[in-house]
Amino acid sequence: MTETTRSQDPAVRVREEILAYYARGKEDGRLRQGLDRLEFWRTQDVLRRLLPTAPARVLDVGGGSGIHAEWLARDGYAVQLLDPVPLHVEQAGRLPGVEARVGTRGNCPTRTRRTTSCCCSGRCTTCPNGPTA
């Protein structure tokens, strides 16, 4: 059985091998080069067509190092990014206009903040509890 590690947030558990994989720091560049760039462009195209016009709040769940949060913030959205990997949260937190914290879909903050849209795993979905005040 795989050992589980708690992140900074005690409610977020991440398996050791996942943390070790992402600790290599390669995820930040994955969608920025090569064939994976197509995935970036496709996600960007879909989100730009489906999201409401900025300004609006977007919750980027599992947003990694912030590759999508970065352009969303540049487009005028208020972006909150959740990711279970502390390195990703640190990287995303350095981006202008992006608020980043350790978290997962399971501890999504939709009950405490108004969120217009929620992006999970590169696709736009409805927040589990819907937009709330």
Side-chain angles (χ1 to χ4, degrees):
M1 184 159 139
T2 304
E3 190 174 325
T4 303
T5 299
R6 290 182 184 264
S7 300
Q8 296 163 348
D9 181 336
V12 179
R13 293 178 163 263
V14 182
R15 292 192 335 236
E16 285 293 335
E17 62 266 24
I18 293 172
L19 286 176
Y21 174 81
Y22 287 119
R24 299 182 323 182
K26 295 183 179 184
E27 184 65 14
D28 187 58
R30 183 178 69 82
L31 296 176
R32 300 178 193 274
Q33 58 194 359
L35 293 176
D36 287 329
R37 189 82 173 135
L38 182 60
E39 179 186 337
F40 170 79
W41 289 328
R42 176 67 178 143
T43 300
Q44 188 178 52
D45 175 63
V46 169
L47 290 177
R48 281 189 167 145
R49 283 188 284 122
L50 295 177
L51 288 175
T53 306
R57 287 195 64 80
V58 174
L59 179 63
D60 188 358
V61 180
S65 60
I67 188 161
H68 295 298
E70 183 175 26
W71 64 262
L72 285 164
R74 260 196 326 262
D75 282 2
Y77 293 95
V79 181
Q80 182 178 21
L81 179 141
L82 296 179
D83 198 88
V85 178
L87 174 62
H88 290 166
V89 172
E90 179 185 324
Q91 291 169 324
R94 287 181 258 174
L95 300 171
V98 176
E99 178 188 335
R101 72 181 188 104
V102 172
T104 65
R105 185 181 62 180
N107 63 350
C108 182
T110 57
R111 288 193 173 115
T112 59
R113 302 185 80 161
R114 182 153 188 84
T115 302
T116 307
S117 299
C118 180
C119 304
C120 299
S121 302
R123 61 177 203 173
C124 191
T125 60
T126 304
C127 291
N129 300 311
T132 59

